[in-house]
Structures are given as C-alpha cells and as structure tokens.
DNA sequence: AAACACATTTTTATCGATAAAAAGAGGGCG
DNA sequence: CGCCCTCTTTTTATCGATAAAAATGTGTTT
C-alpha cells in the first residue's frame, strides 16, 4: 500500500513519477520551470497563459498553484491571482541560516543512526557528483540539470538516516528553495567548483563519525552559495 | 501594500481574516474542523460531502484541500481523493522531537534578538493564558478554543523575536500539527494543568536571559503532551 | 467458498462557460 | 498637469456538467 504525500511527515517515500492526473503533471512541470528560472522571480502567473502553456484546464492548474503556494514557490493574493515568489537578499539570508541550523541537526541525527546502506549511498552519490563535475559542460541546460540532480542526491543522502521525517522533509524543502539561487550563480558565470572541494571533506568526516567537524563543514558549505550570490550586486 | 502568503518565508504577517474568496472561506473552516477533530483522523474527505457542508463548488474546495495537503493536514492520493492525515504514535513522536529541536533553536535566536516589545508580549500573553486556565470550564468547546488560542499565542510570542522567518514559520506549522494531539488529551480527560506550571518558569528564564535553562525547559514542556498522549493506549 | 469477469454505482478529476473583481483607457475638470 | 469618474477590457474565481477512474455488487466457474 503506497503512502500518500504529506508535507510535515512522510512515513514512506512514495515516488509517483508518472503523473496520472493533470494536476500532478502541471505541478511537476511548473515546479521544474520555477526552479529552472524559466518563469522569473516575481512574475505574474496568469491562469490563461499557464493553461495554454501546459495544455490543461483552469481547475487543475489552480490546484497545482495552490500546492506550490503552500510550498513557498508561489504567492497568492485574493482576487489578484498568483505570482512567482520573489527572490531577494533577505530571503536568501533567511533560508541559508535556517538551513544551516536544521540541516546541521539533521546530519547529527543521521550520524547517530548510521547504517551500512546509508554510508554506501553517501559514497555512491558523492562519486556520481564528482564524475558529473569532472565532465562538466557549463551553459548546457542538460548538464546543469544533471549536475543539480546529483548535487541534490548527495545532500539528501547525508541526512537520509535521520529518523525525524518532519525535520528531513523541511531540509528538503529548504534545499529546493535554495536551488533557484544556486542556479542564478551558474548563470552569473561562477565556477561549479565553488564549494565542490568541501563535498569530499564532508563525506570523509561523516563516514569517520566526526560529528562536530562534519556539521561545521556542512554549515560552511551551505553558506557558500549565499556568500557568492550576495557578492553580486545585481541581486 | 499587503504581503502575500508564503509557507517557508513570510516577510510580513498579513492577516486577511475576512475571507474574500470561497477558497479562503473553505480553507479556514476546514482547517478549523480538522484541528477541532470534527473530521476525525484518517477519514475520507469526499468532495460532494464537503461542498454540501460548506456550501461551495468543487473547484474551490479542491483548491483548499490542495493547500491543506501541502501543509500536512490532508493526504492526497491520485484518483482516490483526499483524506484527513492520520494521527499516529510515530507521527506524534516525530513532530515532538522535531519541534524540540527547531523551537529550541528559534528560542535561542529570539533571546539573542530581544526587544522591549517582545518581552512585553511574552508577559501579556502569559497573563492571558494564566487567567484563562484559572477560570477554566472544561468540556466547553468555547473554553477549549479560547484556551488553545492563548496557549498558541504564548508559544508563538516566545519565538516571535527570532529573525529567521522560515524557521519561525516551520515552528508554527509544527505547533499547529500538535494541536490535534493536545486536543485529544483534553478529550481523554486530562487536566489542563499538565505543563502549565512550566509556562511561568519558561517566561522567567527567557526574560532573565538564561538561554540554556530556558531552552531546556521549553524542550521538556514540548515533550509533555507527547508523553501524556503516548501513555494512553487508545492511540 | 475463493477467484474471476462483468455490469452498476459512486466518486474523482477535468472541462467550458460565466459572474465578479481588478486593471486599464479615455475624457472632463480643478 | 494631475486627479477623479466612468466605461471597457482583462483576469480571477466559481459553478454546473461530464468523462474517467475506482469501488461495489452480482453472478459464474472451478
């Protein structure tokens, strides 16, 4: 029996990757476009445009938007519709610091509940990430997507053994929020190498069970994107 | 200019308490019924029933449900509709421990960013809570609502000075999640006094700036509901 | 009686049309 | 010019009807 989705608590990871309803399909594509930055920050999301773009009716479209709104990607205002949640310096600082706290805690709990499988997944996802960085081909949308996918996988792997579902889910949400900023960085022409060296260090510290150093390094790593983005005054 | 709502980041607290759309009205009433336990855990939420109950059409109803689903109050399953998110021992333990972590952190940050107004609101909300407990009239729905409202206000007041919006918002969501369990406790006939003595202690420690003791006491206090509920084997 | 196929009912998900609200576009007037 | 009133256009929010899917029921076969 597949468990249904829930935001604050998800006992079982139920990946329905084949959208069987129009709402799900719209949700998936819309989220992707938001993260990719195809739909820029602050932009008005007119129902008409969206229904044409994604080829579905207004009701499922609004349903998908309502979900994204709760997830913080989209803002609603009564009788004025939806718009892409704006990015801002203060928002970036906020989610960065919050992420440092909660992802650090989650890592602590993960290490305290380590298993073989968890360690293996960390190693695997690290290797995949490293290979992806080595054969990098910036400016290619596909490469950026592949890189982002592996980066995400690595970060989620680190905290996967944390038994607190709600905490882990929140980390995942924050990570996703941060993706837009990370993407901006790439588009500003920064090297993907920024912070890359830390991945191996984090992995080693985590696998060695050096909790304090691991958490400290993870926190530093989380701060790097923010520092780099904030250094640019176009934002 | 009123700020729109967002889950992970809410720069300005925009209370639109007069629902101007059917979706908002449905959202509000439905959420209330979920928290009150009128719609019990795990129950199927048939669109037809809901539209009749709340007197609105299917589209806004589904939109409201989609939002509650992202908030963790409701579960969706493709082509099988919505149901009230089930309560369970594991869920209670999960959100309790997560809340201990994040609310403790939030309190730390709040104390580090203390202001006059913040201290005053803590004092005020504490007094209101105390008075409400003194003139208690259990088994009365109105009293339970009033008590819950003030308990909530006190807890949110404690962390209000925390500048990390995303963290604070998450605390609020977790608090709301816990309300259903707190309500169960009352219905099981427990005294409202459980944990009440700690409120004054927490307030004193916080206002005295004794961070470590304040955080420790808050964590204990958060655990109490869970301990009491878990002691009952009807759940 | 369990297992299966098929018909019926119920429920979900979706569309297309429409009322209500907001945004925009003149046009007079201080 | 800037402000306000009105009319028009655009956009949102909502309803009612319907196709698609799941659940339920019924009879048939082993």
């Amino acid at each position: 029996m597949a468990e249904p989705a829930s935001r604050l608590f998800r006992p079982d990871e139920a990946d329905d990757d084949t959208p069987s309803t129009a709402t799900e399909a719209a949700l998936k594509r819309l989220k992707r476009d938001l993260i990719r930055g195809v739909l820029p920050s602050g932009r008005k999301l007119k129902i008409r445009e969206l229904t044409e773009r994604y080829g579905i009716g207004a009701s499922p479209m609004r349903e998908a938007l309502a979900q994204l709104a709760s997830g913080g990607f989209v803002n609603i205002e009564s009788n004025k519709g939806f718009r892409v949640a704006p990015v801002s310096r203060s928002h970036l600082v906020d989610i960065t610091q919050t992420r440092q706290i909660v992802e650090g805690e989650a890592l602590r709990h993960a290490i305290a509940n380590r298993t073989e499988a968890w360690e293996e997944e960390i190693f695997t996802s690290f290797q995949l990430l490293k290979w992806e960085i080595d054969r990098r081909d910036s400016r290619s949308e596909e490469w950026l997507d592949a890189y982002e996918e592996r980066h995400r996988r690595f970060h989620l792997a680190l905290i996967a053994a944390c038994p607190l579902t709600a905490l882990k889910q929140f980390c995942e949400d924050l990570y996703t929020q941060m993706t837009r900023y990370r993407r901006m960085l790439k588009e500003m022409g920064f090297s993907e190498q920024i912070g890359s060296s830390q991945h191996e260090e984090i992995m080693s510290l985590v696998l060695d069970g050096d909790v304090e150093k691991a958490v400290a390094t993870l926190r530093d790593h989380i701060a790097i994107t923010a520092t780099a983005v904030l250094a640019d005054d176009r934002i």
Side-chain angles (χ1 to χ4, degrees), chain A residues 151-172:
Chain A
H151 190 255
R152 177 187 184 85
R153 178 168 168 182
F154 176 68
H155 272 274
L156 296 186
L158 289 173
I159 59 170
C162 170
L164 300 175
T165 316
L167 187 66
K168 226 166 33 179
Q169 185 59 44
F170 186 51
C171 288
E172 192 169 334

Side-chain angles (χ1 to χ4, degrees), chain A residues 9 17 21 24 32-33 35 40 45 50 71 136 140 150 158 171 175-176 215 223 232 234:
Chain A
F9 185 70
D17 36 17
T21 71
E24 280 167 35
R32 187 187 173 87
D33 287 348
I35 291 170
L45 291 167
L50 295 177
R136 87 165 180 279
S140 142
R150 298 193 166 183
L158 289 173
C171 288
Y175 178 91
T176 308
V215 170
D232 191 295
R234 275 172 292 179

